[in-house]
Amino acid sequence: TGIREEIVPVIKNVNDSKNERLIKELRKEEAHSIDEDFTYKRPYGFIIDGCAYSGFETWKDLYIQFCKHISNTDTEKFDALAKNQSLISKQNRKYFSTNKQDIRYPELITDKTYVELNLSANHFAKRIKEIAGIYGIDAALITIFLQQDRNA
C-alpha cells in the first residue's frame, strides 16, 4: 500500500553533510509551495527549518513525518493542539486529540497526542500550513517536492 508501519522521526542537524546533500538533491527537482493544489499529486519529500526529508509515497507518510518533526521542536505545544478549537472539522471531527476514539484513522505522534490521517492531499497541506502558523513558521519556507508523474 505504500504506507510504512513506522516512520522514525529524524531531526537532522542543519550543518550535517548528509542533510546538505539531501537538500541539494531535492532542489534539483521542482519545488512546490504548500499553497498549491495537490489533487492527484504524490509527495516525495519536503524541507522545513533547514531539515530535508525524502522517500515518501503518500501524503499520510509526509504528514506523519512533518508532525513528528514539529513535535520534536516543542512537544508541549504539539500536545496543546488537541485543545485548539480551530483544529476541528466542519463535521465536528477533531484533527488532533489525546483520545484515540475521537479520531477516525489515528496515528500516535507524541506519547499522548493522536493526529487524524483520513484527509485528502489538500487537507494535509492545509493542516501543515495551520500547524506551521501555530509554531511561528512561515509557510513560504516549507518546500514540497513531488514524485514524477507516471503518465508523463
Side-chain angles (χ1 to χ4, degrees):
T1 62
I3 297 175
R4 289 176 258 170
E5 290 298 315
E6 183 176 326
I7 296 178
V8 179
V10 180
I11 297 297
K12 297 179 179 164
N13 184 341
V14 175
N15 298 321
D16 183 351
S17 63
K18 186 176 179 183
N19 188 54
E20 288 175 17
R21 181 186 56 75
L22 184 56
I23 289 173
K24 284 179 186 175
E25 179 184 315
L26 284 172
R27 292 243 160 101
K28 290 178 187 174
E29 303 295 325
E30 184 180 346
H32 296 272
S33 161
I34 198 71
D35 295 316
E36 293 180 30
D37 180 9
F38 293 108
T39 304
Y40 303 116
K41 296 180 181 158
R42 295 168 54 99
Y44 174 72
F46 70 100
I47 299 174
I48 183 172
D49 292 335
C51 295
Y53 299 93
S54 66
F56 302 106
E57 295 183 15
T58 67
W59 284 100
K60 288 179 186 180
D61 291 344
L62 184 142
Y63 185 64
I64 290 167
Q65 186 61 59
F66 171 81
C67 288
K68 288 184 179 185
H69 172 88
I70 289 293
S71 71
N72 284 333
T73 62
D74 188 341
T75 305
E76 289 179 25
K77 190 181 248 186
F78 190 84
D79 289 339
L81 295 175
K83 297 175 186 159
N84 188 329
Q85 292 299 309
S86 68
L87 297 172
I88 296 177
S89 74
K90 292 177 185 175
Q91 294 80 25
N92 209 27
R93 300 287 304 177
K94 293 183 176 185
Y95 294 120
F96 299 87
S97 180
T98 54
N99 183 356
K100 189 176 183 178
Q101 281 68 37
D102 289 344
I103 295 180
R104 235 179 233 143
Y105 293 102
E107 176 74 24
L108 186 64
I109 300 296
T110 65
D111 29 332
K112 57 182 166 182
T113 303
Y114 293 89
V115 297
E116 175 64 75
L117 296 180
N118 187 30
L119 302 172
S120 70
N122 288 322
H123 279 97
F124 279 124
K126 185 176 180 183
R127 295 287 85 71
I128 288 170
K129 187 175 178 181
E130 286 177 342
I131 297 166
I134 291 169
Y135 271 79
I137 299 169
D138 184 359
L141 300 178
I142 300 171
T143 309
I144 305 288
F145 298 92
L146 301 175
Q147 293 182 21
Q148 292 287 338
D149 187 358
R150 290 186 219 154
N151 297 328

